[in-house]
Amino acid sequence: MKNRMNPFRHFKPLAVSPTRRQLLLSGLALALVGAKPHASQAAGSPAALRHNAHGKPAAKAPGSKRLVMIDPGHGGIDSGAVGHEGSQEKHVVLEIANHVRRFLQHRQFDARLTREEDEFIPLYQRVEIAHQHQADLFISIHADGFTSPSASGASVFALSNRGASSAMARYLSKRENAADEVAGGKYRQQDNYLQQVLFDLVQTDTINNSLTLGRHVLGQIRPVHHLHSPSTEQAAFAVLKSPSIPSILVETSFITNPEEERLLGTHAFREKIARAIADGIVNFFEYYDAHQPKPR
Ligand SMILES: [Zn+2]
């Protein structure tokens, strides 16, 4: 695959080109305004409080910090994958996400979480939260399971609009996309509606930037943990269908692997993998800044 041989070849700055971008985002805004409030909004959860009444993003002050939206997978009635010892993915990934946020804040980034508690948020809503906050990046954090307990290692995924890059990518994207099913399928229709809009809007350069981000994150995980896949995989993850925000999903480990379930239960490993993710994000922005056109 071209991107794997030279992942930076297609890199383009994140800066917007007004006409096309504005068109895309206005289309997105229409879709979002049309979407109904979700369950946690009705419950007055922290996630709901971050949404303003008009569904419009808050204005970003000039020179403000870059904002990374960190998405701890699953939550509430959706426990995610469960290990043999009973560890639940939703709790593990929230802990890791908190560490990532702390590390990024130490590096002068604005970092926020899509959920701060054990609550259910539909997948499309996670994308919407990132857009309403005008996030510069979106990172979904997971620790999934597989049918075989021997599957192990970390992997990083970006969106694909042309099918999955491997059987595991297809398997995991199906699993992740099924998260909304545990809520009884009541989000499915909205989700499909929004996904269709987003899918049509997905830009090649956003996916390429996501692949570049994935490469930087993998580069930092490689020295500290075994990789299940050496390069960024791609599949149609619903939570990555953001038209303008580079988005990746990090599978930190397989919670169904007994050794990795044990690791995921330790503070040391959670911090180590979180630091690697944060360092990868920082490296991505440094790379991005170094490739910005210089004013004359
Ligand atoms: Zn997951």
Side-chain angles (χ1 to χ4, degrees), residues 74 80 89 142-144 176 251:
H74 314 279
E89 182 184 359
H142 292 257
D144 258 84
E176 298 300 358
E251 292 282 3

Side-chain angles (χ1 to χ4, degrees), residues 19-20 31 37 41-42 47 56-57 71 94 103 131 135 143 163 191 198 219 225 238 252 284 291:
T19 47
R20 189 161 174 79
Q41 206 162 2
K56 289 179 187 166
D71 175 48
L94 180 56
F103 288 134
H131 276 269
D191 203 14
L198 293 176
H225 190 49
T252 51
F284 169 79
H291 288 75

Side-chain angles (χ1 to χ4, degrees), residues 235-285:
F237 287 91
V239 81
L240 300 182
K241 288 184 177 175
S242 206
S244 57
I245 303 174
S247 304
I248 58 169
L249 185 147
V250 181
E251 292 282 3
T252 51
S253 283
F254 283 87
I255 206 167
T256 45
N257 177 292
E259 171 61 13
E260 294 202 331
E261 182 182 14
R262 189 191 63 74
L263 276 177
L264 286 165
T266 67
H267 183 81
F269 181 79
R270 291 171 179 178
E271 268 209 327
K272 189 167 72 172
I273 204 86
R275 187 182 292 278
I277 293 169
D279 286 347
I281 292 167
V282 172
N283 284 2
F284 169 79
F285 279 119

Side-chain angles (χ1 to χ4, degrees), residues 74-78 90-91 94 115-120:
H74 314 279
I77 53 170
D78 173 21
K90 65 176 183 177
H91 296 312
L94 180 56
R115 68 174 178 93
E116 308 217 20
E117 294 172 0
D118 182 15
E119 62 174 328
F120 176 80

Side-chain angles (χ1 to χ4, degrees), residues 83-285:
H84 297 286
E85 299 293 324
S87 312
Q88 296 184 28
E89 182 184 359
K90 65 176 183 177
H91 296 312
V92 170
V93 296
L94 180 56
E95 288 294 317
I96 294 172
N98 271 313
H99 289 309
V100 176
R101 173 170 60 179
R102 182 164 51 85
F103 288 134
L104 285 173
Q105 286 172 343
H106 286 165
R107 305 289 291 271
Q108 308 307 315
F109 285 87
D110 186 356
R112 301 178 197 174
L113 304 185
T114 54
R115 68 174 178 93
E116 308 217 20
E117 294 172 0
D118 182 15
E119 62 174 328
F120 176 80
I121 304 178
L123 296 173
Y124 80 91
Q125 191 80 41
R126 296 167 190 256
V127 177
E128 184 185 333
I129 291 169
H131 276 269
Q132 289 188 337
H133 286 252
Q134 298 185 318
D136 294 293
L137 290 184
F138 179 88
I139 315 283
S140 194
I141 297 179
H142 292 257
D144 258 84
F146 190 58
T147 49
S148 162
S150 63
S152 69
S155 28
V156 174
F157 297 87
L159 181 66
S160 167
N161 51 13
R162 292 190 299 269
S165 58
S166 71
M168 183 60 90
R170 188 177 308 113
Y171 174 84
L172 288 173
S173 62
K174 270 190 171 174
R175 270 186 74 102
E176 298 300 358
N177 291 349
D180 289 347
E181 302 292 325
V182 298
K186 60 184 167 181
Y187 299 104
R188 205 180 307 144
Q189 215 171 2
Q190 277 187 47
D191 203 14
N192 284 345
Y193 162 66
L194 185 59
Q195 280 176 29
Q196 189 57 50
V197 175
L198 293 176
F199 200 77
D200 294 342
L201 296 176
V202 166
Q203 292 293 281
T204 308
D205 62 335
T206 301
I207 294 182
N208 284 331
N209 284 331
S210 304
L211 290 169
T212 306
L213 170 63
R215 179 179 165 82
H216 283 286
V217 170
L218 278 171
Q220 294 300 312
I221 295 177
R222 189 172 286 113
V224 301
H225 190 49
H226 163 65
L227 293 183
H228 182 266
S229 179
S231 53
T232 307
E233 295 269 1
Q234 287 183 268
F237 287 91
V239 81
L240 300 182
K241 288 184 177 175
S242 206
S244 57
I245 303 174
S247 304
I248 58 169
L249 185 147
V250 181
E251 292 282 3
T252 51
S253 283
F254 283 87
I255 206 167
T256 45
N257 177 292
E259 171 61 13
E260 294 202 331
E261 182 182 14
R262 189 191 63 74
L263 276 177
L264 286 165
T266 67
H267 183 81
F269 181 79
R270 291 171 179 178
E271 268 209 327
K272 189 167 72 172
I273 204 86
R275 187 182 292 278
I277 293 169
D279 286 347
I281 292 167
V282 172
N283 284 2
F284 169 79
F285 279 119

